[in-house]
C-alpha cells in the first residue's frame, strides 16, 4: 500500500473532535465525539466552566439562553487527559 497524504503518517494523537447536530427537543444538541487516544478509557465533559464529569458519547447537551460552552477531552486508561475540544453556541428561545 502507498499513500501521499501527510495525515496518514502524522495523525493527531489525543485530539478530540465534536460533531453537533439537532437533538430531539428544542434547545438540545446531540454531540457525537471521536478521538485518536491510545489506550482510550472514557470522555470527560465540562459545561460553562463547571466541573469535569465522566461521560459517554453521544453527549446530549441542553442549552440555556445566551452563551453556552461545551468542552470535551479524551482520557486514557492511565488517567492522562488529552487535548480539549470546545464548542460555543449562542442560543435564543
Amino acid at each position: 500500500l502507498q499513500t501521499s497524504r501527510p495525515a496518514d503518517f502524522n495523525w493527531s494523537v489525543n485530539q478530540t473532535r465534536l460533531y453537533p447536530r439537532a437533538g430531539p427537543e428544542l434547545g438540545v444538541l446531540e454531540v457525537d465525539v471521536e478521538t485518536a487516544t491510545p489506550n482510550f478509557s472514557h470522555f470527560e465533559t465540562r459545561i460553562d466552566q463547571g466541573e469535569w464529569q465522566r461521560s459517554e458519547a453521544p453527549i446530549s447537551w441542553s442549552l440555556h439562553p445566551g452563551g453556552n460552552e461545551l468542552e470535551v477531552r479524551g482520557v486514557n486508561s492511565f488517567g492522562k487527559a488529552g487535548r480539549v475540544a470546545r464548542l460555543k453556541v449562542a442560543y435564543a428561545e
Side-chain angles (χ1 to χ4, degrees), residues 58-81:
I59 298 164
S60 184
W61 183 26
S62 297
L63 304 175
H64 57 79
N68 294 266
E69 182 178 27
L70 173 69
E71 297 173 282
V72 183
R73 63 187 182 188
V75 179
N76 69 18
S77 57
F78 303 104
K80 175 79 171 147

Side-chain angles (χ1 to χ4, degrees), residues 33-82:
V33 185
E34 72 175 9
T35 187
T37 300
N39 300 306
F40 175 74
S41 172
H42 62 277
F43 290 109
E44 289 183 336
T45 59
R46 180 164 72 168
I47 297 174
D48 297 327
Q49 300 294 312
E51 296 293 319
W52 286 103
Q53 303 212 1
R54 186 181 182 124
S55 63
E56 301 294 325
I59 298 164
S60 184
W61 183 26
S62 297
L63 304 175
H64 57 79
N68 294 266
E69 182 178 27
L70 173 69
E71 297 173 282
V72 183
R73 63 187 182 188
V75 179
N76 69 18
S77 57
F78 303 104
K80 175 79 171 147

Side-chain angles (χ1 to χ4, degrees), residues 1-27:
L1 300 175
Q2 294 182 346
T3 185
S4 60
R5 293 179 348 137
D8 289 339
F9 298 101
N10 302 316
W11 49 283
S12 50
V13 67
N14 295 330
Q15 182 174 335
T16 300
R17 292 184 186 88
L18 306 177
Y19 302 98
R21 58 187 161 82
E25 304 170 18
L26 187 63

